[in-house]
Amino acid sequence: MAADLGELLVPYMPTIRVPRTGDRVFKSECAFSYDSPESEGGLYVCMNTFLGFGREHVERHYRKTGQSVYMLLKRHVKEVRGHTMCFYIGLHTDSCEDEAKLVIFPDHFEIPLPNIEELPALVTIACDAVLNAASAYKKQESDSWDEEIQVSKHARSLRQTDNGVRIPPSGWKCQKCEMRENLWLNLTDGAVLCGKWFFDGAGGNGHALDHYKDTNFPLAVKLDNITADGADIYSFDEEEAVLDPHISEHLQHFGIDMLQMQQVSLAISVRPRVSEWEVIQESGMKLKAVYGSGFTGIKNLGNSCYLGTTMQVLFSIPEFQRAYVGNLQRIYDYSPLDPTTDFSTQIQVVLGISLQHQPKGISPKMFKAMVSKGHPEFSSNRQQDAHEFFLHLINLVERNSAGSENPSDVFRYLVEERVQCCQTQKVCYNQKVDYLMQLPAPIEAASNREELIAYEAKRREAEENMRAPPEPVRARIPFTACLQAFTEPENVPDFWSSALQAKSAGVKTSRFASFPEYLVVQINKFTFGIDWVPKKLDLSIDVPDFLDLSRLRGTGLQAGEEELPDLTPPIVLPEDTRGKAPDIDESAAMQLAEMGFPLEACRKAVYYTGNMGPEMAFNWIIAHMEEPDFAEPLALPSFMEAGPSMASLGLAATPLDNQPPEESIAILTSMGFPRRHTVQALKATVSGSLSSPAAHTLTLVKTTQTYCPGPGRGPGCYELFAFISHMGASTMSGRYVCHIKKEGRWVIFNDHKVCLSERPPKDLGYIYFYRRLSSC
């Protein structure tokens, strides 16, 4: 039999590899679905690429690659007192049994493992290596910034001083300075001292660390993060965050009963936060669970609810469904050889699976690993800002939609910015692309302002007298006040007036130049504390179901307004850079030089486009290649006179007799480009027509300044269909849930749990999503 197996495997030996250092072994999740070893068909791991495939997809991989040998992993999970307990493949416990086989395609010939005596040595070594390898995701977690927190070596043997110190519930301050935030309690002697948040010392004076250096008392706990569930503990000796299994006893020594307390904070009281969590999650209500297509939950992978809630909202938008689910079969067939790192494949997989019936929810480990790769925050295991992740995801969609439908266009709109020189009263109008409307939350406009003032006075009195804080008061702010604050003029103190050719005071206002199909509104609920950590204001805002923004539509240059001259400010080089070589991305210059352009011209192009990449520099080259000094070295004086505003981008003004043909202007303005920018772009071409080589310049204008889909010119009336809510004191902590209106009913998505909402807390949301209506 051994000889037979050896002979059977001989033709496949060149394709069987032993995992090397750095190889990722995907033995917990299928690359095209959420099949795992616990799925009915198990998981097939390719013995060459180490990619995992469910039963439905392994045949496709075999046909596409010709790879015949796979390891089939199955886990049979037993119920233990109502809980399922399982460990990694390769282990056997009383609660789960693991089974492994080699499977040879296309005949599905199975070889049970282990089978040391009958298999060739190379195959045995490869099988053992796969079975013992860490999951690809476990490796990623260990490589991220957040290593698993370990129990401190001092926790069990910590000796506490019997000095009678008792810590009050509030009113703390550093014993060596007046700091009242970022305070740490030393668990040996009860000293309350300030910490250091950043390397530059912002957020504290480092007295907690100084105390350790003087005393060698190793452990400290952060005072405002103590809850019934635990606390943030730092070991000065081990120089890292640690766990203390005896933290309850150690805190009790100083009069802190953590088992009966909720989070306490000097600036933010416990009770509104507890109430906020209860209200947003609709705790205490009998919510009816819902299942089926569009009602699949997303499991929390550990502080990943910012990702789950954002994806749930995007998945409910038809344009995203059409772009990523409409042709799943084609995606499977034409995916790259490593689909785990391909954005289009993974977003289509996670979206497609979420629209299927998955009653237990999905666990998008592969998707999270792919979208967060290379990002210092999203690749960590810390909680993140859902607003920032939304913009990050939109950026990824943009970058991966070349040549295909770009669903993120539904969020895209133009902002009209009007800046007026206070001295000359002349104005200039500019447009920029945006995807999200940020609304300020003016506390001074609160309808219960008197109540807030009284509460603040009582709170300060309690703090000074070291008493418990009073019952908190939540600010109630009208949504109309937020819109009014958004439209208020903004001072621009260092505005460079082209009319004066000098700096002057300016005033800026913003309006909509176009409206998006889907409007995303973020309420600015966060401010920065003294330790530079974003802290949330306790607000209730009466966000409407229907929104009419027609009055915020931009008007452009009005009759009676005089436009500022179209000149750029002079370039003044700092003293310490004069005489030095300019900062130039030489790699971008070399890329252009390899296309046949003079190197010095390429260096100038990169410099004048602000080192923004070869594509931008190429546009500059096309617009300037006829100039006599095109190939001469870059020479910068210490002061450059004011020039045409778009000169550095190849959009310089030309004589009036070089006016572009009116038919070319008409074609571009009909596409949504403003006439002013259209004329400038056409003047930058050789002939002023759309067929000239400098049409690349038009692409530059289209993609960076003025393009917006035609529908953006419709009405500014919207209906609320989703909102994301944050619970907790900071974007760096807490949790997110979202509510989405489906089939006329509000539905709450709370990680893997999906239920019909009874009382959607629209006034406590953080990010709101509106769908545009055809008429107001």
Side-chain angles (χ1 to χ4, degrees), residues 531-602:
D531 54 4
W532 291 93
V533 178
K535 293 188 176 181
K536 189 164 71 180
L537 302 172
D538 192 19
L539 308 174
S540 170
I541 300 176
D542 61 339
V543 176
D545 286 312
F546 295 93
L547 186 60
D548 184 357
L549 299 178
S550 301
R551 68 182 184 87
L552 298 185
R553 186 188 293 275
T555 58
L557 189 68
Q558 296 294 290
E561 289 183 331
E562 187 175 355
E563 199 167 10
L564 284 161
D566 197 12
L567 301 174
T568 56
I571 301 174
V572 181
L573 299 180
E575 291 289 342
D576 59 354
T577 65
R578 296 177 187 177
K580 295 182 180 180
D583 183 17
I584 296 175
D585 183 350
E586 297 292 350
S587 63
M590 288 303 298
Q591 281 184 278
L592 294 168
E594 290 172 359
M595 298 171 63
F597 298 112
L599 177 60
E600 290 301 331
C602 297

Side-chain angles (χ1 to χ4, degrees), residues 76-96:
H76 307 284
V77 181
K78 299 178 180 179
E79 294 287 335
V80 180
R81 293 184 182 179
H83 299 280
T84 57
M85 299 179 61
C86 30
F87 298 84
Y88 291 105
I89 289 292
L91 297 181
H92 175 86
T93 72
D94 293 336
S95 55
C96 66

Side-chain angles (χ1 to χ4, degrees), residues 478-496:
F479 185 78
T480 53
C482 299
L483 280 181
Q484 182 62 36
F486 174 80
T487 61
E488 288 295 320
E490 177 186 347
N491 291 326
V492 186
D494 291 328
F495 173 66
W496 188 84

Side-chain angles (χ1 to χ4, degrees), residues 335-384:
S335 64
L337 292 179
D338 184 1
T340 66
T341 59
D342 182 64
F343 177 83
S344 296
T345 300
Q346 287 306 311
I347 193 172
Q348 291 172 85
V349 167
V350 71
L351 177 52
I353 299 299
S354 73
L355 293 177
Q356 299 175 9
H357 179 59
Q358 300 284 339
K360 294 183 179 180
I362 58 176
S363 178
K365 296 177 183 177
M366 198 173 294
F367 176 76
K368 182 179 185 298
M370 185 270 305
V371 297
S372 63
K373 185 178 181 180
H375 193 287
E377 294 300 327
F378 299 133
S379 62
S380 76
N381 293 329
R382 295 188 295 271
Q383 186 62 277
Q384 302 299 332

Side-chain angles (χ1 to χ4, degrees), residues 518-532:
Y518 291 85
L519 177 69
V520 185
V521 179
Q522 178 213 1
I523 303 295
N524 188 9
K525 288 188 169 186
F526 293 90
T527 184
F528 282 95
I530 209 168
D531 54 4
W532 291 93

Side-chain angles (χ1 to χ4, degrees), residues 1-8 109-112 115 117-120:
M1 183 64 180
D4 292 342
L5 285 180
E7 292 175 4
L8 177 67
F109 185 84
E110 296 183 353
I111 304 173
N115 203 332
E117 295 180 356
E118 299 183 5
L119 294 178

